[in-house]
Amino acid sequence: LAKTTQPISMDSYEGQEVNITCSHNNIATNDYITWYQQFPSQGPRFIIQGYKTKVTNEVASLFIPADRKSSTLSLPRVSLSDTAVYYCLVVGGGATNKLIFGTGTLLAVQP
Amino acid sequence: ETGVTQTPRHLVMGMTNKKSLKCEQHLGHNAMYWYKQSAKKPLELMFVYSLEERVENNSVPSRFSPECPNSSHLFLHLHTLQPEDSALYLCASSHGTAEAFFGQGTRLTVV
């Protein structure tokens, strides 16, 4: 399984764009990059998933360079309610994924 | 509501008790997971079931015993737990590389 590395924490202010970068140097050909958000005392919630280039949904964008060894989650115009832990996972293309969560990035949004 | 239901939401048990946690999904997913999350720590993967067969047992003590009677139900049987087992226990389900859905968790306190 490809190991992921992300910053432990980040600070931002309301209305700003936040970019969280994750490195996954050992990503395999069949792996996808997936991001989850977790609030205290709740289960993680899926945000976005991508394989290469750029993916955008109503919540975020995911940028993946050609070598796929890193990815950047972009949250446009964050609000206080975006304060949470964000996890980057590499998900294999096999029948079962172990879904290993790392330490994640604690994003603190201030007014 | 994620489609993954965990019961009970809260549980207090003595060290000599036997209890079970239940997880249920009717999303048609073929994989189910148990995670443990202690206070301010990352999620620890405990068990993974794929098509009702256990494919991952992450060095979990034998006082935790999982059971997957069918693809929609997952149990975690608990006996002779220790105070350090107090944590949030999360169940998740997924299908292939698609997003995983998490339940709300069971907050377990061992006294």
Side-chain angles (χ1 to χ4, degrees):
Chain A
L1 292 173
K3 181 181 177 181
T4 61
T5 303
Q6 7 176 172
I8 296 294
S9 63
M10 293 182 69
D11 293 319
S12 181
Y13 293 94
E14 283 190 292
Q16 289 188 333
E17 177 185 77
V18 171
N19 297 309
I20 306 175
T21 298
C22 177
S23 64
H24 26 77
N25 292 319
N26 297 323
I27 191 168
T29 303
N30 293 336
D31 290 342
Y32 288 77
I33 299 144
T34 310
W35 286 80
Y36 288 83
Q37 174 194 57
Q38 186 182 26
F39 297 112
S41 298
Q42 294 185 26
R45 183 175 69 103
F46 172 86
I47 300 174
I48 198 166
Q49 184 182 74
Y51 183 80
K52 62 180 179 180
T53 61
K54 177 183 175 182
V55 180
T56 297
N57 62 22
E58 64 278 7
V59 177
S61 294
L62 179 60
F63 298 91
I64 305 168
D67 66 5
R68 304 200 327 121
K69 293 187 176 183
S70 66
S71 59
T72 299
L73 174 73
S74 180
L75 305 172
R77 297 179 299 282
V78 295
S79 64
L80 296 176
S81 62
D82 293 315
T83 294
V85 178
Y86 293 82
Y87 296 96
C88 163
L89 278 74
V90 171
V91 179
T96 302
N97 297 290
K98 295 183 179 180
L99 297 182
I100 305 294
F101 285 76
T103 54
T105 298
L106 173 59
L107 172 65
V109 179
Q110 302 188 30
Chain B
E1 186 60 49
T2 65
V4 179
T5 304
Q6 288 187 243
T7 54
R9 292 292 306 278
H10 300 273
L11 178 62
V12 179
M13 60 185 289
M15 290 189 283
T16 59
N17 291 157
K18 290 185 179 181
K19 296 286 184 182
S20 296
L21 309 184
K22 179 182 176 182
C23 178
E24 186 172 353
Q25 59 91 9
H26 296 287
L27 302 170
H29 291 169
N30 60 3
M32 296 187 77
Y33 311 76
W34 279 118
Y35 289 87
K36 173 187 177 183
Q37 188 168 36
S38 302
K40 298 188 177 181
K41 290 189 177 181
L43 288 89
E44 300 174 44
L45 179 62
M46 300 175 72
F47 303 103
V48 180
Y49 276 82
S50 175
L51 300 173
E52 302 154 45
E53 286 192 26
R54 190 190 311 178
V55 297
E56 178 75 9
N57 179 345
N58 214 15
S59 302
V60 178
S62 58
R63 57 186 183 269
F64 294 91
S65 175
E67 179 189 3
C68 188
N70 55 61
S71 59
S72 299
H73 294 86
L74 184 66
F75 294 89
L76 187 62
H77 304 299
L78 316 171
H79 64 98
T80 60
L81 294 191
Q82 304 298 310
E84 60 264 29
D85 296 322
S86 299
L88 180 67
Y89 288 84
L90 290 160
C91 172
S93 71
S94 70
H95 193 94
T97 58
E99 64 186 279
F101 289 84
F102 282 79
Q104 290 288 77
T106 296
R107 173 68 63 187
L108 173 67
T109 302
V110 181
V111 296

